[in-house]
Amino acid sequence: MALDTIQTLLHSESARNGITARGWVRTKRDSKSCSFLEISDGSCFKGLQVVVDAALPTAELLPRILTGASVEVVGDLVASPAAGQKWEMQAAELCLLGEADATYPLQKKGHTPEFLRTIAHLRPRTNLFGSVFRVRSKMAYAVHRFFQERGFFYVHTPIITSSDCEGAGEMFQVTTLKPNTPTKPEQDFFGRPTYLTVSGQLQGEAFACALGNIYTFGPTFRAENSNTTRHAAEFWMIEPEMAFYDLTADMTLAEEHVRYLVQAMFDECPDELEFFNKFIDKGLIDRLKQTLAKPFERISYTDAVDILLKSGRNFEHPVVWGDSLQTEHERYLAEEHVKGPVTIFNYPKDIKPFYMRQNDDGKTAAAMDLLVPGIGEIVGGSQREERLDVLEALMSKQGLDPENYSWYADLRRYGSVPHAGYGLGFERLLMFVTGVPNIRDVIPFARTPGHAAY
Amino acid sequence: MALDTIQTLLHSESARNGITARGWVRTKRDSKSCSFLEISDGSCFKGLQVVVDAALPTAELLPRILTGASVEVVGDLVASPAAGQKWEMQAAELCLLGEADATYPLQKKGHTPEFLRTIAHLRPRTNLFGSVFRVRSKMAYAVHRFFQERGFFYVHTPIITSSDCEGAGEMFQVTTLKPNTPTKPEQDFFGRPTYLTVSGQLQGEAFACALGNIYTFGPTFRAENSNTTRHAAEFWMIEPEMAFYDLTADMTLAEEHVRYLVQAMFDECPDELEFFNKFIDKGLIDRLKQTLAKPFERISYTDAVDILLKSGRNFEHPVVWGDSLQTEHERYLAEEHVKGPVTIFNYPKDIKPFYMRQNDDGKTAAAMDLLVPGIGEIVGGSQREERLDVLEALMSKQGLDPENYSWYADLRRYGSVPHAGYGLGFERLLMFVTGVPNIRDVIPFARTPGHAAY
């Protein structure tokens, strides 16, 4: 019963008579004896050229068929004499499903991304956003495939939570209490204050300590008032967590994962990749090829600090052992020093959250960040502290209420195992594989301070 | 670098020397000359039997190895003399990774689901919940596979929203405003009141009207104070939306979809299925086989009302044309009349939301529900109203502010196309394929009134 899509028609093995094509008109060109419609149904990057003979009875509809109109065409799929396309369609009957008049905002001329964000419900009909969101879908599926092929289990960690993971950032409150009304937390839906999750990691660890290898892939939230090209209030995170993995196995998996996704981009989205490389980021294909060319380098944080200090660069933020690496440092390491992806590991323990495993040197934690050119950090992870006494000391040092984390401590109290995991920001990944520079343009309906339309 | 899991070891083609197995101890049996440990790492239903010779130096650890302890064993994979297992492991060296003392809540004896819900961080270590959550992962992947193989695109519709879809239910508010403090909506993070989504359908339609065939698969929320076995405040929904589909094509896809998922259950989770059939729901396998045996029946709402009226049954809720079907009616139709899944279509228009397409009879809308034995409604969908004037009249009749839906009307203003979609509740599906009767037991960390721990 499946209808033919333009994707299936363009990949036809042979000419076919009596087919039906449906889609939206991208362009219309008239010649003396016929008109050429390019129609797209979003199923693939390319459109289908439809030739409408002026003598056709239904050709009288043509004046009403403008850019954006939807049509259904019955006719034959025939070899195309035009360059760059194998097939075109010779129309026998044309049906106008829905008109689009001159007020249709997506006329042929180019539009700024800023304007297109104001019509987020229509922008996926453009070449750029159609491509972005096809890639988003293919990459999401590739994420699942990567893990499922390796025997990992997908876990839906909760979105509404009463714990705040790691104090990772400002949280949104979730409530059914009326604003501006005297209320008590006990009266709220869950009988206590609840928030939108900032990470599924802690709950993911509980499942890794039962099912072995698991991953989450779901929305996470930050109520930070940041108006940058890299921050959104709602974004999707991938968080695998592996029992019996140490930091080295963790880094290896993260590197395989990023390479797998880049390879999927080449294999499954070649037309979109070419388009992005031509119109959005001319260095894109080269940079992605670099990612596949050789194993990623690994540099300890301490060595990375040395490299930065010896670089002779005048960084805006000074380089000091014990401080976090800033984006400018990360980009120097990936783009100039290594000229490709690089994993930095063993960070100073005092800048890392309580759950990261303490190394024997007394100074560092078994943490890692994977940095890629053009983006900086794309993956952050660590081996988790599996020793109950060490964990409890760290929680107490960071002022956490042991009561709130007693279930998390239970994972160490009963059959504790070495384990590790990481987080991969899905939008960061999409920006990396498409070259699209603003996170607002890789999310269907982006949420940023002041913006929650739709 | 991947570590051997018990799943890979149990599926080994041949005996292997010098392997390492890791997992949690399920049971320990001592005989005179050796001990038998059954260890599980969650990678599959079955555990691995490890034989530890009493003469082994590390056998002295055995007294400390209780149920729930984590161990690493080096040794050989050898053919097992025991029935029901092809391989067992002969230990050469035993390492106790993490002890579990007598306070470990998951001792051998059975526990009630109610008790296990209070230890949601440990319950996936049990046979039942390990099975449920492996099935949850496999089914989620099968959902993606079903759509991706058919060229559908996965769309992440927003979780935080300023629109309320269809007035589908009570909503949670999302805010950064302090409670018990005088505030104005403009001061909130998004500059207006925002909520957790109850459905991604409307935004999904925008993408279907650009990319053709799409689906969502994400969390949705209802702030309803229902304490039933079938309601949760947070659950995952699958919502496909197809351009150029009418109601018949919509019903066909939904039926294929349910059959595909049931088939995946037989193909990918045979051990879990057998377990559920034996311990949770003795009719499960028969019921699922029924689903695959023949095409699903389709009955119009009007005919269904006739069937119910003629059934001679004394229903608690009277059967009246124009009213919604109640669960008792749905179950009668599926379980007793059809004895299998059945799709009911063309419901009275006045009990359906504004976006459903009005039929020409002036009385019904092109809506459908797919009912399955044991559950009732598992899928609900419709063809969408694509005629701008009809849609606007319906919105006005239902008292909706056209301003809030102008973007949705745009989809009909510019290149409108016939389209249809449906929603499949993922937890309902899991209850159907596992026989687990309470929604709290198919969600990793369930959220219900008063419950948001973890």
Side-chain angles (χ1 to χ4, degrees):
Chain A
M1 58 124 260
L3 308 175
D4 279 320
T5 62
I6 288 176
Q7 154 82 359
T8 56
L9 292 174
L10 290 178
H11 285 78
S12 182
E13 301 270 310
S14 56
R16 287 171 59 190
N17 292 338
I19 60 160
T20 303
R22 301 163 187 85
W24 292 271
V25 174
R26 284 290 180 79
T27 59
K28 182 174 71 167
R29 255 180 329 115
D30 296 316
S31 79
K32 213 171 282 180
S33 60
C34 62
S35 291
F36 299 92
L37 301 178
E38 193 207 345
I39 67 171
S40 164
D41 65 358
S43 62
C44 58
F45 183 81
K46 296 200 170 89
L48 175 68
Q49 171 159 288
V50 177
V51 186
V52 185
D53 195 301
L56 217 59
T58 44
E60 65 179 28
L61 291 167
L62 282 167
R64 288 167 56 203
I65 296 180
L66 308 179
T67 298
S70 50
V71 295
E72 184 173 279
V73 193
V74 177
D76 299 332
L77 191 71
V78 298
S80 176
Q85 57 190 24
K86 195 171 169 196
W87 303 111
E88 64 180 27
M89 188 167 176
Q90 190 69 48
E93 203 183 329
L94 185 61
C95 170
L96 173 56
L97 296 175
E99 293 188 59
D101 65 16
T103 67
Y104 182 54
L106 296 172
Q107 303 297 340
K108 258 181 282 181
K109 65 181 166 62
H111 297 285
T112 65
E114 290 74 18
F115 169 72
L116 291 168
R117 277 174 219 142
T118 68
I119 49 167
H121 59 302
L122 299 175
R123 68 177 183 169
R125 300 183 187 190
T126 65
N127 267 332
L128 171 58
F129 288 97
S131 296
V132 164
F133 295 119
R134 279 190 299 273
V135 167
R136 189 173 170 116
S137 172
K138 301 270 188 192
M139 287 292 115
Y141 187 50
V143 166
H144 284 294
R145 219 170 46 228
F146 175 80
F147 287 120
Q148 297 273 345
E149 285 173 357
R150 283 158 184 76
F152 283 57
F153 297 105
Y154 181 29
V155 178
H156 289 137
T157 49
I159 310 301
I160 299 173
T161 178
S162 56
S163 81
D164 79 344
C165 180
E166 39 163 327
E170 297 288 311
M171 298 174 87
F172 288 102
Q173 189 159 1
V174 174
T175 182
T176 53
L177 298 177
K178 295 246 176 302
N180 291 315
T181 312
T183 54
K184 291 180 190 156
E186 311 83 271
Q187 299 169 313
D188 210 344
F189 188 88
F190 296 107
R192 57 168 125 182
T194 51
Y195 307 92
L196 290 180
T197 184
V198 294
S199 164
Q201 179 200 317
L202 303 194
Q203 295 96 340
E205 285 184 56
F207 271 72
C209 293
L211 302 184
N213 295 333
I214 67 95
Y215 66 106
T216 73
F217 185 6
T220 50
F221 304 85
R222 296 280 191 288
E224 274 156 33
N225 199 2
S226 315
N227 269 300
T228 80
T229 56
R230 297 151 52 106
H231 290 88
E234 176 178 321
F235 54 97
W236 283 63
M237 281 263 280
I238 301 144
E239 297 182 286
E241 198 70 36
M242 295 74 67
F244 311 111
Y245 271 47
D246 61 14
L247 184 67
T248 302
D250 196 38
M251 292 193 285
T252 302
L253 187 74
E255 292 163 2
E256 275 182 18
H257 190 185
V258 170
R259 292 160 72 95
Y260 182 95
L261 295 172
V262 170
Q263 187 62 55
M265 185 70 189
F266 280 102
D267 294 345
E268 297 169 45
C269 310
D271 294 336
E272 285 82 1
L273 183 53
E274 202 180 308
F275 171 80
F276 292 130
N277 193 64
K278 197 163 168 191
F279 292 105
I280 300 296
D281 177 353
K282 293 202 190 306
L284 178 65
I285 290 181
D286 282 347
R287 210 161 55 241
L288 294 181
K289 280 190 176 158
Q290 228 176 29
T291 306
L292 299 176
K294 53 177 180 144
F296 295 179
E297 286 202 35
R298 292 179 190 173
I299 303 176
S300 75
Y301 168 89
T302 300
D303 288 347
V305 166
D306 280 347
I307 289 163
L308 292 167
L309 288 172
K310 288 179 185 147
S311 69
R313 281 305 171 95
N314 207 349
F315 292 111
E316 195 186 330
H317 300 84
V319 176
V320 181
W321 197 102
D323 286 0
S324 295
L325 298 179
Q326 301 296 317
T327 302
E328 58 175 338
H329 307 142
E330 293 178 343
R331 294 190 65 164
Y332 174 83
L333 291 166
E335 291 164 25
E336 305 195 44
H337 182 74
V338 170
K339 296 188 175 56
V342 54
T343 307
I344 313 292
F345 63 96
N346 286 349
Y347 281 81
K349 69 183 172 63
D350 292 337
I351 57 171
K352 290 294 177 184
F354 73 94
Y355 51 71
M356 293 196 176
R357 193 177 197 280
Q358 306 293 293
N359 287 326
D360 292 339
D361 63 12
K363 293 188 296 188
T364 61
M368 62 97 170
D369 282 352
L370 171 49
L371 316 177
V372 294
I375 301 282
E377 183 196 326
I378 195 167
V379 167
S382 75
Q383 189 172 338
R384 315 310 187 187
E385 184 54 74
E386 88 280 13
R387 295 161 296 186
L388 181 60
D389 53 342
V390 181
L391 182 76
E392 288 181 331
L394 284 165
M395 292 199 300
S396 148
K397 196 174 152 200
Q398 298 197 11
L400 300 170
D401 181 357
E403 178 77 10
N404 289 344
Y405 293 89
S406 69
W407 67 269
Y408 185 70
D410 273 358
L411 306 178
R412 282 75 180 166
R413 194 169 283 123
Y414 303 119
S416 186
V417 295
H419 62 290
Y422 60 84
L424 167 61
F426 187 52
E427 283 79 10
R428 286 270 171 98
L429 170 78
L430 292 175
M431 293 165 76
F432 179 58
V433 297
T434 62
V436 168
N438 195 313
I439 195 170
R440 291 166 182 78
D441 295 334
V442 298
I443 299 180
F445 299 91
R447 273 72 181 97
T448 53
H451 291 94
Y454 307 99
Chain B
M1 60 123 261
L3 310 174
D4 279 320
T5 62
I6 288 175
Q7 155 82 359
T8 56
L9 293 174
L10 290 178
H11 285 79
S12 183
E13 299 272 308
S14 57
R16 288 171 58 190
N17 292 338
I19 60 160
T20 303
R22 302 163 186 84
W24 292 272
V25 174
R26 284 291 179 79
T27 58
K28 182 174 72 168
R29 258 182 325 117
D30 296 315
S31 80
K32 213 172 281 178
S33 60
C34 62
S35 292
F36 300 91
L37 302 178
E38 193 206 346
I39 66 171
S40 164
D41 64 358
S43 62
C44 58
F45 184 81
K46 295 200 170 89
L48 175 68
Q49 171 157 291
V50 177
V51 187
V52 185
D53 195 300
L56 216 59
T58 44
E60 66 179 26
L61 291 167
L62 282 167
R64 288 167 56 203
I65 297 181
L66 309 179
T67 297
S70 50
V71 295
E72 183 173 280
V73 193
V74 178
D76 300 332
L77 192 72
V78 299
S80 176
Q85 56 191 25
K86 194 171 169 196
W87 302 112
E88 65 180 27
M89 188 167 174
Q90 190 68 48
E93 203 182 329
L94 186 61
C95 171
L96 174 56
L97 296 175
E99 292 188 58
D101 66 16
T103 67
Y104 181 55
L106 296 171
Q107 303 298 338
K108 257 180 285 182
K109 65 183 165 59
H111 298 282
T112 64
E114 289 74 19
F115 168 72
L116 291 168
R117 278 175 218 140
T118 69
I119 50 168
H121 60 302
L122 298 175
R123 69 177 182 169
R125 300 184 187 189
T126 64
N127 267 333
L128 171 58
F129 288 97
S131 296
V132 164
F133 295 118
R134 278 190 300 273
V135 167
R136 189 172 170 116
S137 171
K138 300 269 189 196
M139 286 293 115
Y141 187 50
V143 166
H144 284 294
R145 220 171 44 229
F146 175 80
F147 287 120
Q148 296 273 344
E149 285 173 357
R150 283 158 184 75
F152 282 57
F153 297 105
Y154 180 31
V155 177
H156 289 136
T157 49
I159 309 302
I160 299 173
T161 178
S162 55
S163 81
D164 80 343
C165 181
E166 40 163 327
E170 296 287 311
M171 297 175 87
F172 288 102
Q173 189 158 1
V174 174
T175 182
T176 53
L177 298 176
K178 296 247 174 301
N180 290 315
T181 312
T183 54
K184 292 179 189 156
E186 311 84 272
Q187 299 170 313
D188 210 343
F189 188 88
F190 296 107
R192 56 170 126 182
T194 51
Y195 308 92
L196 290 179
T197 184
V198 294
S199 163
Q201 179 200 316
L202 302 194
Q203 296 96 339
E205 284 185 55
F207 271 71
C209 293
L211 302 184
N213 296 333
I214 66 95
Y215 66 107
T216 73
F217 185 6
T220 50
F221 305 85
R222 296 280 191 288
E224 273 157 33
N225 199 2
S226 316
N227 270 301
T228 80
T229 56
R230 297 151 52 107
H231 290 88
E234 175 179 323
F235 54 97
W236 283 63
M237 279 264 280
I238 300 144
E239 297 183 285
E241 198 69 36
M242 294 74 67
F244 312 110
Y245 271 47
D246 60 14
L247 184 68
T248 303
D250 196 40
M251 292 194 285
T252 302
L253 187 74
E255 292 163 2
E256 275 183 17
H257 191 184
V258 170
R259 292 161 71 95
Y260 182 96
L261 295 172
V262 170
Q263 187 62 54
M265 185 72 188
F266 281 101
D267 294 344
E268 297 169 45
C269 310
D271 294 337
E272 286 83 1
L273 182 53
E274 201 180 308
F275 172 81
F276 292 130
N277 193 64
K278 196 162 169 191
F279 293 105
I280 301 296
D281 177 353
K282 293 203 190 306
L284 178 66
I285 289 180
D286 282 347
R287 211 161 54 239
L288 294 181
K289 279 190 176 157
Q290 228 176 28
T291 307
L292 299 177
K294 52 177 180 142
F296 294 179
E297 287 202 34
R298 293 180 190 172
I299 302 176
S300 75
Y301 168 89
T302 301
D303 288 347
V305 166
D306 280 348
I307 290 163
L308 293 167
L309 288 172
K310 288 179 187 150
S311 68
R313 281 305 171 93
N314 207 348
F315 293 111
E316 195 186 330
H317 301 84
V319 176
V320 180
W321 197 102
D323 286 1
S324 295
L325 298 180
Q326 301 296 317
T327 301
E328 58 175 337
H329 307 142
E330 294 179 342
R331 295 189 63 163
Y332 175 82
L333 290 167
E335 290 164 25
E336 305 196 42
H337 182 74
V338 171
K339 296 188 175 59
V342 55
T343 306
I344 312 293
F345 63 97
N346 286 349
Y347 281 82
K349 68 182 172 63
D350 292 336
I351 57 172
K352 291 294 177 184
F354 73 94
Y355 52 71
M356 294 195 176
R357 193 178 197 281
Q358 306 294 292
N359 287 326
D360 292 340
D361 62 12
K363 293 188 295 188
T364 61
M368 62 98 170
D369 282 352
L370 172 49
L371 317 177
V372 294
I375 301 282
E377 183 197 327
I378 194 168
V379 167
S382 75
Q383 189 171 338
R384 315 311 186 186
E385 184 54 74
E386 87 282 12
R387 295 162 295 186
L388 181 62
D389 53 341
V390 181
L391 183 75
E392 287 181 331
L394 284 164
M395 293 199 301
S396 148
K397 196 174 153 199
Q398 298 198 11
L400 299 171
D401 181 355
E403 179 76 11
N404 289 344
Y405 293 90
S406 69
W407 68 268
Y408 185 70
D410 273 357
L411 306 178
R412 282 77 178 164
R413 195 168 283 122
Y414 303 119
S416 186
V417 295
H419 62 289
Y422 61 83
L424 167 62
F426 187 53
E427 283 78 12
R428 285 270 170 98
L429 170 79
L430 292 175
M431 293 165 77
F432 179 57
V433 297
T434 62
V436 168
N438 195 313
I439 195 170
R440 292 166 182 77
D441 295 333
V442 297
I443 299 180
F445 299 92
R447 272 72 182 96
T448 52
H451 291 95
Y454 307 99

